[in-house]
Every structure is written in structure tokens, then in C-alpha cells.
Amino acid sequence: MDILGHLADGMLLSIQPLNLLLITIGVTVGLFIGAMPGLGSVNGVAILLPVTFLVPPGSAIIFLAAIYYGAMYGGAISSVTLGIPGASTAVATTFDGRPLALQGRAGLALVCAAIASFIGGTVANILFTLFAPLLASVALSFGPPEIFALMLLAFATFVGLGGDDIPKTILSICMGLVFAAVGFDQVSGAPRLILFNINGFLHGINFLVLAIGVYGIGEMLWTIYSTRGEITSTKAEISAAQIGRDAKECMQRGWKGTTIGSLLGFFVGVLPAAGATPGSLMSYGVTKMLSKNPKEFGKGHPAGVCAPEAANNSASTGAMLPMLTLGIPGSPTTAVLLGGMVIWGLTPGPRLFVEQSDFVWGLIGSFYVSNLAAVIINLAFIPLFIWMLRMPFTVLAPLIFVLSVIGGYAAMRDMHDLWLMVAFGAGAFFLRRFDYPLAPAVLAIVLGPIAEPTLRQSLLLSSGDPTIFVTRPVAGPITVIAIVLILLPALKFFRKGKPAPAE
Amino acid sequence: MRLGEIITAGVLALLSIYMMFKSTELNIGYVRGEGPGGGFWPFWLSALMLISTGWIAFNWYRRTSPPSQSDEPVLDEYGWKMLFLVGGSILVFVGLIPVISMYGAIAVFLIYYLKFLGRHSWPLTLVLAIGLPIGFFFFFEGVMRITMPKGLSFTEPFFNVLYDIIY
């Protein structure tokens, strides 16, 4: 009952006029920053950090948490309406959100994103409130072999159940992972894979450069080519009644994805160094794996929007847990928040819950209020986003190209990245023509920087013995599931005695 | 398409070999006390890419993948024209950024696309081609404090006027 008392106090604190105003402003600003390709919650939180010195620390962290929430909701908007992931956390939302928008069902995708985000956020808040210290200790028991096994599972879901050409899927994953290795070797610090000795590769290949190249340029060229440029506008319509019908369909077809996303996203978010992006990608993969119709994924299935959106909101709350209880940030944004807390004179760690109980419970209370504010503000803005989609395609297409270029530059501020993005766009267009799946490459470039160090640390722990991934109690079962999934196409081949007929 | 499929696989195989070669600049084996070397991860992944291209070539030989069964051209006349007019304009857009600034390049690109490809009216074209770069300027330079390329020195007077409004 103690917890409920604290929570009630925290909620009362967060609905004080100043805090409520800051939540509303924070969520709205976050929504637009999240929707802008190239800018994510980390930019919003970092840029607005100095503003928070004007208000008390409790209100300041509430404001930043509201931006964080808003940005998580906002990432889905550009994924659905423009087909460009607004942030890495919204990459998986593009897989089904964009096809839904192209079918004239952008309203359904946006409503699914809003509702799933709300449920994901709420589930995460409840888990956070009830189990914060316990979960923090479980997360700490996850070592490099366990995290690498989780990464392996994420890739395996694409190979085993992708429904695409197997060698092309494997090639796409490997290419993304190799691109992620460009730059510097994280262990020795030596330059690595500086392709054609071009200096621009020294800072690596940012995932956004590949994602915007593939989705913003390659996919757009493909749409213009495959429709012969005859798209004048999409059929997207929206009204209050339509939002109601979409919400009903979302609950019926997306409940499983939302549930998986909420729970899995939270746990992956809690893991140090993981965060919302792997959480959303893995939830998408697992939902697809457990679905009765995995082939519908990637073609516009509401669960394909619900799972990553529930997960990225859930994970963003989960990532706050190690930050508050242990002082370990679970994502770049929480690292900035942690910096802010230190500036305000607060010491994150186990003592924070005891010494600054008002602050902590005010923050937790604000999670609930921010989440509610975010879903209301997001639903209110849906007609505006739909209106954007009803623009003639010859207006929308150049705007997407402009947003791609400006977003691609804003990420790393290097002209080299823009040329690389255009090259990726052209490459993606031709690879798409030859049925190469490109989503696995985007997934791989995001997960590569987590997968490689955990593999190397694991092999160092075991003195080079790869059985470490199957002999540890938690890593073992995850690795076995991943291997079975990778071998699934081969098992199908032997059962049928011949390959599946080409579509 | 059939010829294109094997050429694409060949290009990807060459890319894999090149990346395997580049990976060998660092140790690709196990270093006692340090774990796998810096080249280990990209080398073996590039090797897996190479094996995949071999598998794709084998499927091409057996004619099991849809592109290997197709006799249609990779791109028809419309496709090449579209690639030249749209893809080419993106190349020019990026090429103009260091010359006439990010904002100037956006304006030129929008005028080209909206007026010449989209055949929209001049008022709509000019509203978007002038309004959008100015809006982006205030958002990125004023609010987000992100500096975009300003091009060669002749653009300075324009930006001085806009900076006077911000500061």
C-alpha cells in the first residue's frame, strides 16, 4: 500500500498547474521533434536541457520525460505518413505502417500507433512502479552472452520466417552488420573498413544514412516507378467515427502485438546498453514469429505497427529504471537525463528512492500523466497528419526528398553522409527490383554495434569457446530457439523434398 | 531480368571480397588475452555474404528465384527516364548544397520538381520553394541550433538578414 500512497502523491505533484503545462508543452514539442527525420528524443532532450534550469528539478525532469514520451509517439508519424523512420526507434513501424498508408489506411496505422504506445507506456509504468528494484537486479544478471543470444534471435526471426529469398535475406543482414562495423574498432581503437580510403568513413555509417537512403530515396523511386507516377493522392480519410472504427480494428487485430511489445519492450529497455530500438525490432520479429499469418507482415498488418510502437514506449520507460535505481543509462536519451539530474544536484542510484522520494515518485507519477497527455494530443493531431497524405503525390514526393536530405545531414552534419545516402538510395532501388529484402539490413546496422562487442566479450570470457552461448542457463535456450529458426527453411525443404515454388 | 540478377550477384560478390580484404588490415583471428581481433567480425560476415551470393547464383542457375525466370528488361523506357529525371535531380540537389547552401538547393529542387515535373502553378511552386527553406532555416538554425551548409560566400548577405531576425 506504501507504493500506492507514494504514487498518488506523485500523480498529485505532476498535475500541479506548472507541471501539467510543462507536460503538455513537452509532449507536443516531442511529438514534432520525433516526427522529424534525423531528430529523435535525444536531440529534443539535449537541446531543451538548459531551459529546465528555470524551473525546480522535479518539474524539469517531468518536462524532459514528457519530451521523451512525445518523441516516442512522434517517431511513428513520419514512418507511416512519409515512409521514413523519424528515429531509430521507429524503424520497425515503417515495415507495416507504410504499406497501410499506401493502401489508404494511414488512419488505422496512426491510431494503432497511438493506442499501442499508450498501452505499452501504461504497462511499463505499472511494471516500473511495482518491480523497479527487483527488475534492475535481474537486468544486471544479463551478461554479454545473453545479450548476444537475444540479438541472434532478432536476426533469426528474419531468416526463418521472413518469407523472402533466404540467401538474399542472409546477405542483407550480413551487409548491414558489416556496414555497422565501418569506422573504428571499438576495442583496439584502430581504424577499420575505411572503404576506398575515404575519410568520411572514419566516423562510421550512421544507421539513419542507410535508413533514409533505403526508405526515403530508394523506396520513393520505387513507388514512382512501380505506379508509373500515377499516384495523385492517397484515399486517406479521417473522422471521429473512423478513428473509433480504426481503434476497434486495432484492438481486434493488434492486441497480441501490443501485449508482446509492451512486455518484451520493457524488459529489453531495462537491459543496460539495449534501449528502445532493439526492443521495438525484436517485438516486431517475435510477434511475426507467433502470428498465425506471418506472411501478412510487411504488407500492412495492424499488429506490425502495434508491436514496435508498444515496445518503444514500454522500453523508453524501462530504460529509465537502471538510470534511476543504478545510475546506469539504458539509452542515449536517458544518458542525457542522467547528466541533467547530476547538474541539478541529484545522485542517481539505490539511495535516490530513499533520499529523494518526492522527486522519484513525482517523476513516476508524471510518466502516467505524460502518457495520457501524449495519446490525447497524438489522436488530436491525426487529422493534420492525414491531411499531409492527401496532398498530390507530385507535391508530397519532393517534400519527402527534401526531408530526407535535410534529415540525413542533420544526423552527422557531413556532406559525405549525403552522398552515401544517395548511393544507398540508388542501390536500394535496384536491389528492390531483384527482390532483395532491405529491412534486415536496416535492422542489422542498428543492432550491429550491440551484437559485435557482446560476441567479442563473450568469446573473451570463454577463452574462444563458442559453446558459452549454449551452456549458460539463460543464453542457452535463447540461442537454441534462434538456431532452430535459422534452420527452419532447411527443415521445410527436407519435409517437402523441394523448395517452395517461386511467387 | 535474368542477366541483371546474375550481374547484381556478381557485383555483391566483388563487394564481399573487397570487404574481406579490407577486414584483413586488422587481426581476423583470436588474440590470446584480448579475444577476437578487430577484423574478425567483418571478415567472417563478409565471407558469409560471399557464400550467399554463391547460393543466389546457384538459384539463378536452377531458375528458382522469380527474377531468374523473368525475360522482361530490368527497367523499361519509363524506368530509365524516371531515374534520369528524378534520381538525377536528387544528385544535382546534393551537388548544389556546397555551392548555393542547403536552403538555396532546396528552393531550386522544389522549383524544378513542382513546376517542371509536377506541372503545378507558379504561385504554389513559389510559396513552397521560398516558404519551406525559410521555415527550415528558423527551425534548424534558430530553434534546434543545427547549422546547415551555407554555400559559397556570395550567399552571405541573404543569411545575414535572416540571422538578424534570430539574434
Side-chain angles (χ1 to χ4, degrees):
Chain A
M1 290 309 284
D2 247 12
I3 289 176
L4 288 179
H6 283 308
L7 185 64
D9 288 345
M11 279 188 169
L12 278 177
L13 187 74
S14 63
I15 55 170
Q16 281 177 358
L18 171 69
N19 293 343
L20 203 56
L21 179 72
L22 286 173
I23 287 175
T24 312
I25 296 172
V27 165
T28 313
V29 168
L31 197 65
F32 283 92
I33 288 178
M36 188 83 194
L39 301 179
S41 58
V42 67
N43 302 74
V45 170
I47 291 159
L48 293 167
L49 187 64
V51 177
T52 62
F53 297 129
L54 305 172
V55 290
S59 303
I61 191 97
I62 285 172
F63 178 57
L64 295 182
I67 296 172
Y68 191 23
Y69 258 101
M72 286 296 155
Y73 275 78
I77 294 162
S78 48
S79 289
V80 172
T81 54
L82 307 176
I84 315 168
S88 64
T89 50
V91 168
T93 313
T94 317
F95 301 161
D96 279 85
R98 185 62 182 156
L100 277 172
L102 289 174
Q103 292 160 22
R105 309 210 65 198
L108 173 66
L110 290 169
V111 169
C112 279
I115 292 176
S117 294
F118 176 70
I119 295 174
T122 307
V123 169
N125 285 337
I126 294 169
L127 292 173
F128 191 109
T129 312
L130 298 177
F131 306 113
L134 177 72
L135 281 168
S137 60
V138 173
L140 268 191
S141 69
F142 257 62
E146 284 75 23
I147 295 180
F148 181 75
L150 275 176
M151 298 297 122
L152 200 62
L153 183 64
F155 297 126
T157 53
F158 270 82
V159 178
L161 296 147
D164 295 304
D165 194 315
I166 306 292
K168 288 177 180 172
T169 307
I170 295 175
L171 187 130
S172 183
I173 291 175
C174 293
M175 194 155 59
L177 288 173
V178 176
F179 285 157
V182 169
F184 282 93
D185 172 23
Q186 292 177 22
V187 176
S188 66
R192 179 170 66 173
L193 284 178
I194 310 303
L195 305 175
F196 310 105
N197 295 326
I198 297 171
N199 286 340
F201 285 111
L202 279 169
H203 65 60
I205 299 175
N206 188 299
F207 105 89
L208 260 176
V209 172
L210 181 70
I212 296 181
V214 168
Y215 292 108
I217 295 179
E219 198 71 13
M220 280 304 293
L221 289 175
W222 178 258
T223 306
I224 297 170
Y225 172 70
S226 56
T227 59
R228 309 266 115 182
E230 280 168 11
I231 308 174
T232 46
S233 64
T234 65
K235 296 166 287 184
E237 294 284 343
I238 201 79
S239 62
Q242 185 61 42
I243 289 179
R245 282 194 292 275
D246 286 342
K248 195 176 163 196
E249 184 176 349
C250 166
M251 293 312 295
Q252 282 168 348
R253 299 180 66 195
W255 69 269
K256 204 192 258 181
T258 308
T259 313
I260 293 169
S262 304
L263 299 174
L264 186 62
F266 182 74
F267 194 72
V268 176
V270 169
L271 299 176
T277 307
S280 63
L281 290 164
M282 287 182 62
S283 299
Y284 180 87
V286 172
T287 305
K288 186 177 174 180
M289 185 172 78
L290 297 178
S291 168
K292 284 178 193 152
N293 306 306
K295 294 210 163 177
E296 281 182 26
F297 280 72
K299 292 173 187 158
H301 196 299
V305 177
C306 290
E309 279 305 306
N312 68 26
N313 261 48
S314 186
S316 58
T317 306
M320 297 256 196
L321 199 146
M323 178 194 84
L324 286 174
T325 54
L326 305 167
I328 305 169
S331 69
T333 315
T334 48
V336 179
L337 289 175
L338 189 76
M341 285 171 67
V342 174
I343 295 170
W344 300 318
L346 300 163
T347 315
R351 303 291 304 161
L352 189 74
F353 277 80
V354 183
E355 288 166 5
Q356 300 286 343
S357 146
D358 282 357
F359 171 84
V360 171
W361 288 104
L363 176 65
I364 296 173
S366 83
F367 289 167
Y368 287 87
V369 180
S370 295
N371 198 26
L372 187 65
V375 74
I376 294 169
I377 292 170
N378 197 355
L379 286 173
F381 274 116
I382 285 180
L384 173 75
F385 305 133
I386 295 290
W387 172 81
M388 276 169 53
L389 271 181
R390 288 165 66 187
M391 280 192 267
F393 193 69
T394 45
V395 174
L396 194 60
L399 292 184
I400 292 176
F401 288 134
V402 166
L403 279 174
S404 297
V405 169
I406 207 163
Y409 185 83
M412 296 293 279
R413 296 169 216 181
D414 188 350
M415 279 305 291
H416 163 82
D417 281 358
L418 284 188
W419 289 114
L420 196 59
M421 194 178 79
V422 174
F424 281 143
F429 173 76
F430 282 104
L431 289 179
R432 180 86 155 76
R433 182 82 179 110
F434 293 109
D435 293 343
Y436 284 78
L438 295 165
V442 178
L443 167 87
I445 202 168
V446 174
L447 299 187
I450 304 170
E452 188 199 350
T454 50
L455 172 76
R456 289 171 73 178
Q457 286 160 4
S458 306
L459 290 177
L460 182 61
L461 278 173
S462 67
S463 305
D465 180 7
T467 57
I468 188 170
F469 298 111
V470 284
T471 51
R472 302 220 339 172
V474 178
I478 302 174
T479 310
V480 170
I481 295 170
I483 292 171
V484 168
L485 278 176
I486 292 170
L487 295 178
L488 206 59
L491 293 175
K492 280 182 190 165
F493 178 86
F494 285 118
R495 269 182 63 188
K496 287 181 185 173
K498 61 181 172 98
E503 283 170 26
Chain B
M1 284 287 280
R2 187 166 159 74
L3 181 64
E5 167 93 328
I6 195 67
I7 291 176
T8 309
V11 170
L12 289 169
L14 286 176
L15 181 71
S16 313
I17 293 167
Y18 175 69
M19 294 209 278
M20 283 170 78
F21 166 73
K22 284 296 278 183
S23 303
T24 57
E25 288 173 1
L26 298 178
N27 196 325
I28 59 162
Y30 189 86
V31 186
R32 188 174 282 270
E34 284 179 31
F40 172 85
W41 173 259
F43 180 83
W44 293 107
L45 285 169
S46 306
L48 200 52
M49 271 175 74
L50 187 62
I51 294 168
S52 302
T53 57
W55 189 352
I56 293 165
F58 181 61
N59 284 348
W60 170 84
Y61 174 73
R62 292 193 309 157
R63 291 176 183 262
T64 52
S65 66
S68 66
Q69 298 163 356
S70 165
D71 288 328
E72 58 178 286
V74 175
L75 288 182
D76 55 14
E77 197 187 331
Y78 172 84
W80 289 113
K81 194 176 153 194
M82 183 279 303
L83 207 61
F84 177 74
L85 290 176
V86 180
S89 69
I90 297 171
L91 272 180
V92 174
F93 173 18
V94 175
L96 280 176
I97 292 171
V99 184
I100 57 170
S101 82
M102 174 66 87
Y103 306 103
I106 290 174
V108 171
F109 176 74
L110 286 177
I111 289 173
Y112 165 78
Y113 207 112
L114 294 170
K115 186 65 205 165
F116 298 100
L117 291 185
R119 299 186 192 286
H120 291 286
S121 65
W122 273 114
L124 175 79
T125 304
L126 291 177
V127 165
L128 284 176
I130 296 169
L132 210 63
I134 293 176
F136 276 136
F137 178 85
F138 288 117
F139 178 72
F140 281 102
E141 314 275 333
V143 182
M144 304 303 290
R145 308 277 164 186
I146 293 174
T147 312
M148 292 284 165
K150 296 292 180 308
L152 301 178
S153 57
F154 70 87
T155 63
E156 248 175 57
F158 297 100
F159 288 112
N160 286 343
V161 173
L162 292 172
Y163 275 122
D164 282 345
I165 299 171
I166 297 178
Y167 301 108

